Amino acid sequence: MTAYWCPQALLPSGIASGVLVEVVDGRFTSVVADAPAGDAVRLTGLVLPGLANCHSHAFHRALRGRTQTERGTFWTWREQMYAVASVLTPDSYYQLARGVYGEMLLSGITAVGEFHYLHHAPGGRRYDDPNAMGEALIAAARDVGLRLTLLDTCYVAGGIDQPLNEVQQRFSDGEAAQWAARVLDLRGADDVVIGAAAHSIRGVPQEQLGTVASALPNAPLHVHLSEQVAENAASLEAYGRTPAQVLDEAGFLGPRTSAVHATHLTPVDVGLLGSSATYSCFCPTTERDLADGIGPSVALRDAGSTLTLGSDSHAVIDLFEEMRAVELNERLASQERGHWTASELLAAATVAGHRSLGFEDAGRIEVGARADLVGVAVDSVRTAGTGASVETAVFAASAADVVDVVVSGRHLVASGNHVKLDVAADLAASIAAVTEGNAG
């Protein structure tokens, strides 16, 4: 048994003081407020449940600081991203992902959904282990101490009725049935969920979407949806329907599905996501970095679609920034304040996010749940004087304020540092290895 003491902690009933938690086999066995610390490990500040990053492309982290030098669009950025994708190997991807997941852990993220489509060697050649790239991601997450949902992604077309380009051949299994056969060889565990994804209606032809949806019928299912206006226009031209309507007709929407971005939706699209209880995974820091637009978060919530959050391309890795950006974007779009409460945004980043990744027993500090804890300083230059409140966490704190992180009972971040890894050094070395000559 391990015990931790929290000066203040966010419990399902609200913030409580002097919270003593006991952990056995990675789960909370006791949660008591107004308790003395005794011999327990003392955590710092306001202690939150672990955060869930529901949409990640780990290798995009190598682009940070390298794609801000010129004008352009999502599509010009994509060419720079392909330059990195073209050179990664299982070994270099492991090294890069370990650094990226380390950065996530330092920011309070205890589980990540990796939207994984970089499957094969250049030209589409299979590695001796066809899942070598996915296994590299699993190994990286385990070495850091992060739980992982590997959302193995089907990507078999270069666009609607378009062939794959040279780099995209690395993403493709040829067709959805072959993708499914490879995915079924992956094995999950207590700390790893194997999920499925279709890259988009651009990357998976309409007639193959059903194969993706049915491959892992009890696992999380994710898809990029209407991130760009051009995607909607292509779908209407080819199918006479929006991307959301195409997914609905393929049986893709539902309570285990997350629609990532969901930016350019019609009222009918909003109704489809809401009535099917599909999650809407917003990634505001990426959506603004790529000039995608502002998605209709309030309309989706009101229709019945639960919000989750992701850092996607990792322009920054900071779930606190993602949380408040949802509200701040709505303010910009509506010229009114107060669309999302801090508690609602924290729920998106914790319990709802973990549930969408298949970790339904995480994201809350209560007996029986996975023992994840995130200590946030309330006396930093950002948080001083704001009080130990949910509003402080969402609207004042940043990833830099995370001091302690406990994952499944293990104290992996103390005093703001990983207990085993030099994350900054790992990132610097791994990014240098894959960007030399490809800095864009």
Side-chain angles (χ1 to χ4, degrees), residues 42 64 106 306 322 349:
R42 294 172 180 253
R64 189 187 298 177
L106 292 177
T306 298
E322 306 292 349

Side-chain angles (χ1 to χ4, degrees), residues 27 147 190 354-355 358-364 368-371:
R27 295 180 182 274
R147 284 193 301 276
D190 183 66
H354 288 285
R355 188 185 303 123
F359 295 110
E360 297 190 4
D361 52 357
R364 54 194 182 275
R370 293 176 186 259

Side-chain angles (χ1 to χ4, degrees), residues 134-337:
E135 296 291 353
L137 293 167
I138 292 171
R142 281 183 168 153
D143 282 358
V144 167
L146 203 66
R147 284 193 301 276
L148 175 74
T149 297
L150 185 69
L151 297 159
D152 198 289
T153 303
C154 185
Y155 194 142
V156 295
I160 298 176
D161 297 325
Q162 296 294 319
L164 298 161
N165 66 29
E166 182 179 359
V167 177
Q168 290 169 336
Q169 291 173 5
R170 298 196 68 176
F171 310 160
S172 178
D173 291 285
E175 59 181 23
Q178 293 173 307
W179 162 84
R182 178 181 53 76
V183 170
L184 291 174
D185 285 337
L186 287 162
R187 293 290 177 266
D190 183 66
D191 60 337
V192 176
V193 169
I194 305 300
H199 178 272
S200 58
I201 65 147
R202 293 181 288 108
V204 181
Q206 179 186 34
E207 65 275 10
Q208 297 186 46
L209 287 167
T211 300
V212 179
S214 62
L216 299 171
N218 299 313
L221 179 65
H222 289 220
V223 61
H224 290 136
L225 175 64
S226 293
E227 182 178 3
Q228 290 289 317
V229 172
E231 176 184 318
N232 288 6
S235 180
L236 289 168
E237 181 178 356
Y239 303 131
R241 292 179 290 286
T242 66
Q245 290 173 312
V246 172
L247 291 172
D248 180 56
E249 292 175 7
F252 212 92
L253 304 181
R256 66 187 181 97
T257 302
S258 292
V260 181
H261 301 303
T263 305
H264 301 284
L265 303 182
T266 68
V268 171
D269 297 339
V270 171
L272 288 173
L273 267 62
S275 63
S276 62
T278 296
Y279 292 96
S280 295
C281 181
F282 276 37
C283 307
T285 64
T286 289
E287 289 150 7
R288 70 191 184 200
D289 182 60
L290 299 183
D292 288 343
I294 298 173
S297 66
V298 170
L300 285 162
R301 177 195 66 195
D302 293 347
S305 177
T306 298
L307 175 71
T308 62
L309 298 166
S311 63
D312 191 2
S313 68
H314 314 311
V316 298
I317 295 177
D318 188 337
L319 263 289
F320 301 96
E321 178 65 20
E322 306 292 349
M323 281 186 265
R324 61 177 159 263
V326 173
E327 165 63 18
L328 299 182
N329 282 352
E330 284 285 351
R331 295 181 186 185
L332 288 174
S334 68
Q335 300 181 50
E336 294 182 357
R337 304 173 76 233

